[in-house]
Amino acid sequence: MNDRVHRAEYAGGWAPLRPGADQTERQPLEYRVSPLQPMPRGSHWPRHSEIKWGVLVLVGLVLAGLVAGLVWASVAPRLPFRVVQPGEAIATGPEGEAFIAADGLFLVITAVVGVLAGLLSWLPRSARGALMTATLAVGGSAGAVATMVIGQWLAGPPSDATLGRIGALILTPLRLRATAFAVVEGFVAVLVYMALVAFANQEDLGWSTAG
């Protein structure tokens, strides 16, 4: 017999042989297996408070988007035109800069809203969980779309009467050309929230101490 340690021969298990030991010295192994603890029923479903906070955050993000749209329409630069004859106008400023600046301001405004949303949604302990992450993603995108729609509606094209006045100064309608910016708010909100989750001291995200 070689000096190698032999493996267990069956599922019950036998103790390995020491080098040079006799076959009769082999003793069966004893196993102590802890039974698996069943997962509590319904534990994979969001808690009632998570759903409540999720709805509040979703509505809050849409309302914040409406306010952000008002801000965007107020501060975004728009290209000025001078009416030279009824229905015809010429630009009085550089075209590209105004368009780029309007899109850039939209990006900054929605990103700020996303940062605030991620921070504020972390504060209530009973709101923390996977549902909040999904809420921030969906609500952030919905809020950004609301910002775009309201901003473009408030800063729309000039009226026909204005276009018919020779010498009148008109502004181009506000438009978001980089439509991909509409997902930035939700992305930033989730990013901030997940960063707070990563640095949480408690494994249950503070649920054990939630009021």
Side-chain angles (χ1 to χ4, degrees):
M1 182 177 61
N2 56 29
D3 291 337
R4 292 183 302 173
V5 176
H6 295 278
R7 298 180 180 273
E9 294 183 358
Y10 67 101
W14 291 90
L17 293 175
R18 297 188 306 276
D22 188 82
Q23 292 279 348
T24 58
E25 296 182 14
R26 186 167 53 185
Q27 299 294 329
L29 295 174
E30 294 183 0
Y31 293 98
R32 293 183 179 180
V33 180
S34 300
L36 295 175
Q37 297 296 326
M39 180 179 290
R41 177 174 293 182
S43 62
H44 57 289
W45 292 105
R47 302 175 179 90
H48 175 73
S49 60
E50 289 183 72
I51 297 175
K52 179 190 72 173
W53 279 108
V55 172
L56 291 175
V57 169
L58 183 62
V59 173
L61 282 170
V62 173
L63 294 178
L66 300 179
V67 177
L70 174 62
V71 174
W72 183 45
S74 301
V75 301
R78 298 161 64 190
L79 183 64
F81 278 79
R82 183 77 63 182
V83 178
V84 293
Q85 62 181 9
E88 184 179 341
I90 59 173
T92 60
E95 219 172 293
E97 293 180 6
F99 296 149
I100 294 173
D103 285 8
L105 280 171
F106 179 90
L107 177 65
V108 171
I109 291 171
T110 53
V112 169
V113 174
V115 170
L116 293 176
L119 291 174
L120 294 177
S121 61
W122 176 258
L123 295 180
R125 296 176 185 270
S126 58
R128 298 173 183 176
L131 180 62
M132 183 56 68
T133 306
T135 301
L136 289 172
V138 175
S141 298
V145 170
T147 300
M148 179 182 66
V149 172
I150 293 299
Q152 293 180 163
W153 176 69
L154 291 175
S159 64
D160 292 338
T162 304
L163 287 173
R165 265 198 334 264
I166 297 177
L169 185 66
I170 61 175
L171 299 174
T172 55
L174 183 61
R175 290 290 180 269
L176 179 65
R177 284 161 174 77
T179 53
F181 286 173
V183 302
V184 170
E185 182 177 329
F187 175 78
V188 171
V190 171
L191 187 65
V192 171
Y193 187 81
M194 294 305 296
L196 294 171
V197 170
F199 287 100
N201 293 326
Q202 297 169 288
E203 292 185 2
D204 63 350
L205 303 181
W207 258 93
S208 57
T209 56

